[in-house]
Amino acid sequence: NLPFFFSFSVYNDFMPLYNVWIEHAALDLNQTFTYRSQYTLQRGMRVTVPFNNKELVAIVSEKADVPDSEKIKDVIGIIDETPLLNEELFELAAHLSDTYVSSMVSCFKTMLPPALRPSSRRAAIVYEDWFVREESTQPLTKKGQERWDQLKDQLPMKASEFRRQAKTHARSFLDKGYIRIEKRVKQPEIPVTERQDQRFVLTAEQENAITQIEQSDSQVFLLHGVTGSGKTEVFLQLAQKALDQGKQVLFLVPEIGLTPMMISRVRSRFRQNIAIYHSQLSAAEKYSQYEKVRNNEVQIVVGTRSACFMPFTDLGLILMDEEHDTSYKQDMMPKYHTRDVVLFRSRYHHCKAVLASATPSLESYARAYRQVFELVELKERIAKTLPQIHMIDLRTEPVIQGFSRRLLDAIRQRLESKEQVILLLNRRGYLPVVKCQNCGEVITCPDCGIALSYHRSNDSLMCHLCGNTYHFDHVCPQCGSRHFMDHGMGTEKLEQKIQDLFPDARIVRMDADSTRKKNAHAAILEKFENEGDILIGTQMVAKGLDFPNVTLVGILQADAGLIRSDYRANETAYEMLEQASGRAGRSSKKGEVMIQTFDQEHYVMQAVLHHNYKEFFQNEMQYRHLGNYPPYIYMATAVFSHDDLDKATRIAQKARNMLQEHGCRVLGPIEISMRMKKKRVRLLVKDKNESHLETVMWHLVHNLEKSNVKMEINMHPLMLED
Ligand code: ADP
Ligand code: ZN
Ligand code: ZN
């Protein structure tokens, strides 16, 4: 029992007040609330607080500078003893919130692994039993003693593994106090093909690039190296130097599709010192990797987009591979770009950041042009020769079932000489459109309104926008006919056609369908490497693959990307074509690329033909200048959605007026495809000044009349067609 005066002293006037950010399921609150705490709290800790008669999780922001009053309630409990978000990450959240016009809480949620998000205290963290060594003098049997002497130095060990080795003795070790059980967070089992670490004598160009980066005073570098110029080796050596100085390294890669090859290369170099973080990990696996970084157990993190939020304390280098890749931009609020986070963290840690690509984004190259970033170039391939590009003009060349004779001949010849082929068709499924032969009806997604694709693998219809799958009974819903057009083709149909033409070829297909299962990517690539002749796939196959035996790349429907109306369509098309071309002829064997096109005069095609990035850059910059597009101006979109199109449009018009009053150029509202059955309209907002654009968009958030029309803001969107 506490003495009277002690319990009395808990009530005093000097208990500190704190502002906290509250996570609330229904409301997206973007303001702090004040609570009283009897303990000292630090910014970035999680606490529980009473809110509307519920107990909610909140993140501490700072001491509140207001007088105490009866209305202010007490903090209920403290979740973290030390701040979950350190000062840097807290500032980063505020930065993301400001610049991406999103609530603080949405930024916290994005930055933390699922198991640590404010709302998920009971997240599925999986524990497993480990045996830990104890001191004991209890006598063991002779056999038992022998076993103990063999095993004791290997502890702590996973219980299952220890039992396997100690057999029947495990029980008595436990009973006699030689070992005890400890629960530890289950470690992820990330299968990585073990590779022999290959170290190279650097080429003069690689050497120069490293020296330039090391000796320069610049902080951010754009490493522009043609495909196959050995950028990875430059990265690995820079990383090694930072690690040698006891610093941490962040190594970002765009997509899981690229990661298996890259991870195994990085891991074979740095062995145990590495954490791996990407979106296909389970919540428990992410948590364990996150904790490894927080506890300073690893020095280097390789990962995709969300790895940019790892809790580093002493970052010495940030590497961002394939910096042009669109997977670096998040598609939910806050719709941040990883590059911006990289720049923020490199400023904070005073460390260098190297962005690399064979096809840099226009934004980055323009910044290098203006010397905001320092340009570092690798102009030569390790293999010395770039692949030879052939434009196949579909208007004049003989075509068999969608394939030019030249391409088919080239494939046959590769099969005979036991070399490998990559074929790219950027459309998955079997048929892109299911259209009735009798009445012309096109089957569309009820949620999005766009045409559904037929997928033969699961005999169903799929919407490539929302991902929904629909049963297909092969009957026209309009007229009952059973006959559908056979126009167009996706990767499934391509696979079948190629197999028909080359019955003995061993074909492997890589697209979003064949890689849905965890670790499927790595398995497919391994299969191709070891026993495949032809790899067929969507733009996935254009990215990062390094197979020395690939000597032919064929690109079908190369123009498909150019006819999109999006302002970045040309850039995306150029990237894909140049990157895909870059997969051919990466070793001593000469490479060839065949591009089937109707439009070989287009400057995108010409730049690919000449392997000339600058030619593309200059043409594209002119086009952006004329159209008043980034990087000449800053852009944002606001999308309004509602069941009722008129209602969404009315609110959008109000928003447009408000934005125009503030001097922005606004295009729209225009109607775009539905999402989740909701009608949607979009405004496109342009402004010469980035911070003015942010201010105006915030003004919109705060002052647009409240309604049940939902508004979603995308700052610096990469894609307009939604
Ligand atoms: P990039 O990322 O620029 O496309 P990579 O880093 O994948 O190129 O390198 C291309 C190929 O050249 C890889 O197979 C790599 O192992 C090899 N390579 C890299 N540097 C050297 C070197 N200095 N000497 C020999 N081979 C190298
Ligand atoms: Zn019909
Ligand atoms: Zn859909």
Side-chain angles (χ1 to χ4, degrees), residues 445 447-448 463 465-467:
C445 174
D447 285 0
C448 311
C463 173
L465 208 53
C466 67

Side-chain angles (χ1 to χ4, degrees), residues 595-622:
I595 299 178
Q596 299 199 151
T597 171
F598 288 100
D599 196 4
Q600 59 172 312
E601 289 79 28
H602 196 291
Y603 66 79
V604 164
M605 296 297 173
Q606 290 297 310
V608 173
L609 182 64
H610 305 137
H611 295 291
N612 191 338
Y613 176 81
K614 280 181 195 143
E615 180 183 336
F616 163 74
F617 177 75
Q618 267 142 12
N619 278 297
E620 183 66 11
M621 284 297 267
Q622 262 177 32

Side-chain angles (χ1 to χ4, degrees), residues 194-208:
E194 283 305 326
R195 275 172 197 267
Q196 196 70 35
D197 181 24
Q198 279 186 296
R199 275 170 202 263
F200 303 103
V201 182
L202 293 179
T203 63
E205 257 200 333
Q206 286 173 319
E207 196 83 66
N208 290 341

Side-chain angles (χ1 to χ4, degrees), residues 12 18 23 39 41 43 52 76 86 102 162 169 222 294 322 327 394 442 452 455 490 559 570 578 604 615 649 662 692:
N12 68 47
Y18 292 93
E23 151 108 48
Y39 301 100
L41 301 178
R43 162 175 291 200
N52 284 351
I76 299 172
N86 59 27
S102 302
F162 188 84
H169 300 291
L222 178 63
R294 208 146 77 108
E322 313 289 354
S327 72
L394 291 177
V442 171
L452 294 173
H455 288 240
D559 312 315
N570 292 338
E578 182 63 32
V604 164
E615 180 183 336
T649 309
H662 284 82
H692 181 252

Side-chain angles (χ1 to χ4, degrees), residues 436 439 476 479:
C436 172
C439 74
C476 171
C479 73

